[in-house]
Amino acid sequence: MRFTHQMKGWVSIMMRSLFAGVSGLRNHQIKMDVIGNNIANINTIGFKKARANFQDVFSQNVRNSTPPTAERGGVNPLQIGLGTSLASVDNSFEQGKLQITERESDIAIQGAGFFIVNDSVQNLYTRVGTIEIDASGHFVHTATGNRLQGWLPTRSPDTGSIMIDRNKAIGDLDINGDDVRPGKKLPANATSTVHYGCNLDQSQPIGASHVTAIGVHDSLGREYSYQMRYEKMDTITWTENGETKSGNVWGYTASLPGDTPLNTPDTSTINPKPISLNLGDADGDGFTGFVVFDVSTGRVASGATAVQNGLIATADDYVDGMEIVARTNFVPSETDGGVASALPVQIYTNFDEVTEFASPMTTSAKAQNGYSLGVLETFNIDETGTITGVYSNGYKESLGQIALANFTNPSGLIKAGANMWSISTNSGLPQISAAREGGTGKISSGVLEQSNVELAAEFTDMIVTQRGFQANSRIITTADQMLQELVNLTR
């Protein structure tokens, strides 16, 4: 029997089914590759699983469609598919489970966002939060040495306090420090503010006194005992908005060791304005000031003017913003146990939380902002990504803040190895913010994010993929048998 033209057409049809089966085999093999990679990384920190998706390829038109007419209905097109192709491999950025490590430098993001690291060429993005400090003092990604990015602290020109300015560009985070920010060492800081709180007993008679003390520091970190003595001086009345009010005047005397505090303030020369005076000067006189309390409220009589027997005390003169303050200057000297080379110290004594209720004397110094030299001992990271250094002098200061990046289309990121990602034309530019801002999650320390691969789901997909592969191989063997039968017709 000759091989007719019609037989050649059948062979062509058989070849079509063979190639469809081959495309199925090829793409199911790719899907198995993706599943295998997922399972291989089930214990990889910060790994994000992937998923292979298929689509059909173009179809062969055997017959075109025809529209309906007045006499007969329309006919649908007749198409035969030519197999399958790989549509995409999507990355899933679902949250992985958190594993407690109890290592302070291990961090994880709960929610959206990526840590930003720099490999000296470009910024890369990762969910892996294994961080350490290298020999150069930089915070780095443990496995790669890429430097962690964020905002370094600066010192406020107004208050002198440490602050984070997130309007500046991000950069390498480190503990090296400089003249305006803390680092491995926290330079000594002279006391500039002392806060007092609690209560002066309103029921005490004229002449009653109370003494409290707190350690303050000069510019070289030497500590002094800064004492404040309170004495109930007088009871006065004044008129405010047509209403007669009563108040108690308390004098206070600030002193350092070696000074002679004034036992009886000179009530004839009260100057209610903040006064600058050297403590430890030749005559040994301490600084004396006055505070007036409204007896009906137990609070400092802010806004009131007390006038009695020529005694004038205006509480407003002690107001600095919303705080009641008095200013004291002293020059450190060896007599005070200090160092003569230290810079002069100016202390604002703050009474904004002092009250005068009919309760026992409990007034004490709450806080002061001076300290001696401190060496960095450890650090901790809070949920906003702020890195706080803990120093040997007991103080804590910000070392910086970790920046996070978010993307409009994180699935468009390109894998760069070592669980790092780089931007692509379809990921969008990174939207950089602090944790819990701009749609990013919070940062947890002492934990790491595990892989989001679910083993049961992967095994199920593997079974389905295996059966799909077997089915496509059966297409090939069946088509081969049919071709063999066709060839046998020629015998």
Side-chain angles (χ1 to χ4, degrees):
M1 179 184 294
R2 290 189 305 110
F3 207 69
T4 64
H5 179 73
Q6 186 176 11
M7 289 182 180
K8 292 179 181 178
W10 291 342
V11 171
S12 177
I13 294 173
M14 295 298 177
M15 295 297 292
R16 186 168 57 197
S17 61
L18 277 172
F19 287 121
V22 169
S23 68
L25 289 177
R26 182 187 303 113
N27 288 292
H28 277 82
Q29 179 60 58
I30 293 174
K31 184 171 184 178
M32 184 61 73
D33 293 340
V34 173
I35 294 172
N37 186 60
N38 288 342
I39 296 175
N41 285 282
I42 192 169
N43 290 318
T44 301
I45 300 297
F47 178 80
K48 297 303 177 185
K49 64 183 179 182
R51 179 188 63 191
N53 298 313
F54 299 155
Q55 65 182 5
D56 64 339
V57 297
F58 62 91
S59 298
Q60 180 179 356
N61 280 331
V62 178
R63 182 184 65 205
N64 292 327
S65 62
T66 58
T69 64
E71 293 79 20
R72 58 187 301 179
V75 178
N76 292 328
L78 181 60
Q79 295 178 298
I80 299 175
L82 299 178
T84 184
S85 65
L86 186 66
S88 65
V89 178
D90 299 332
N91 296 301
S92 171
F93 288 93
E94 296 174 358
Q95 179 76 44
K97 293 181 176 62
L98 300 184
Q99 178 182 350
I100 297 175
T101 66
E102 298 182 354
R103 186 172 181 260
E104 193 65 35
S105 59
D106 287 341
I107 52 179
I109 304 171
Q110 293 191 58
F114 295 83
F115 298 114
I116 309 171
V117 296
N118 188 276
D119 65 354
S120 77
V121 176
Q122 63 177 336
N123 283 342
L124 298 171
Y125 309 91
T126 183
R127 296 279 296 191
V128 179
T130 51
I131 305 300
E132 65 181 8
I133 300 175
D134 67 6
S136 67
H138 289 89
F139 290 92
V140 298
H141 180 256
T142 304
T144 62
N146 295 337
R147 292 180 175 178
L148 186 64
Q149 301 295 290
W151 297 276
L152 290 172
T154 185
R155 197 171 293 276
S156 170
D158 299 324
T159 64
S161 60
I162 298 297
M163 57 176 286
I164 301 292
D165 185 359
R166 295 204 300 271
N167 292 320
K168 294 184 177 180
I170 60 174
D172 299 343
L173 291 174
D174 62 57
I175 60 168
N176 296 321
D178 53 34
D179 293 338
V180 297
R181 63 183 178 90
K184 298 175 183 177
K185 292 183 179 180
L186 185 64
N189 184 60
T191 299
S192 62
T193 303
V194 177
H195 285 261
Y196 286 87
C198 300
N199 187 66
L200 294 171
D201 189 355
Q202 188 180 106
S203 63
Q204 292 292 315
I206 301 299
S209 63
H210 180 66
V211 178
T212 185
I214 189 174
V216 298
H217 297 81
D218 63 21
S219 61
L220 297 181
R222 182 66 62 92
E223 185 174 15
Y224 305 79
S225 177
Y226 183 76
Q227 296 183 345
M228 184 67 73
R229 179 180 181 274
Y230 301 89
E231 183 174 340
K232 191 172 184 179
M233 304 298 302
D234 203 353
T235 299
I236 59 176
T237 61
W238 68 94
T239 299
E240 185 176 333
N241 298 325
E243 180 183 356
T244 300
K245 293 192 173 185
S246 298
N248 292 324
V249 180
W250 287 78
Y252 55 86
T253 303
S255 65
L256 295 172
D259 297 328
T260 303
L262 299 179
N263 295 324
T264 305
D266 183 0
T267 59
S268 64
T269 58
I270 294 178
N271 183 346
K273 298 181 182 299
I275 300 172
S276 294
L277 180 66
N278 284 338
L279 289 178
D281 53 6
D283 58 15
D285 292 340
F287 170 76
T288 300
F290 298 85
V291 177
V292 179
F293 292 91
D294 187 331
V295 296
S296 64
T297 63
R299 306 284 183 179
V300 175
S302 179
T305 301
V307 181
Q308 179 176 319
N309 298 328
L311 181 65
I312 302 175
T314 305
D316 273 351
D317 290 331
Y318 295 103
V319 175
D320 179 15
M322 294 301 293
E323 300 175 338
I324 311 302
V325 300
R327 188 175 67 223
T328 304
N329 287 357
F330 76 89
V331 178
S333 67
E334 295 180 1
T335 303
D336 301 320
V339 182
S341 59
L343 298 175
V345 179
Q346 183 179 80
I347 297 176
Y348 283 82
T349 307
N350 189 304
F351 301 102
D352 59 315
E353 295 184 31
V354 177
T355 59
E356 190 202 36
F357 298 117
S359 300
M361 298 278 197
T362 59
T363 298
S364 62
K366 292 178 60 179
Q368 60 86 32
N369 63 349
Y371 43 79
S372 58
L373 172 69
V375 178
L376 182 65
E377 293 184 333
T378 185
F379 65 89
N380 53 63
I381 303 172
D382 67 16
E383 63 182 27
T384 68
T386 299
I387 306 172
T388 302
V390 181
Y391 291 86
S392 58
N393 58 7
Y395 277 79
K396 299 179 181 180
E397 285 288 3
S398 173
L399 299 173
Q401 186 171 15
I402 298 170
L404 297 184
N406 208 358
F407 293 88
T408 304
N409 177 29
S411 293
L413 293 170
I414 301 172
K415 290 186 177 182
N419 283 338
M420 300 286 170
W421 306 79
S422 61
I423 62 174
S424 74
T425 55
N426 197 41
S427 64
L429 295 176
Q431 302 157 20
I432 298 174
S433 67
R436 308 197 75 171
E437 296 181 5
T440 59
K442 69 177 183 179
I443 293 177
S444 297
S445 62
V447 297
L448 288 173
E449 182 183 6
Q450 298 299 299
S451 166
N452 65 353
V453 175
E454 297 180 9
L455 196 57
E458 296 302 321
F459 280 167
T460 302
D461 280 349
M462 186 164 59
I463 293 171
V464 172
T465 302
Q466 181 184 18
R467 293 307 181 192
F469 188 91
Q470 289 175 339
N472 279 276
S473 63
R474 181 59 61 87
I475 292 173
I476 295 174
T477 57
T478 302
D480 178 59
Q481 290 173 357
M482 294 173 68
L483 278 172
Q484 185 64 43
E485 291 295 330
L486 186 61
V487 170
N488 289 339
L489 292 177
T490 63
R491 294 180 181 177

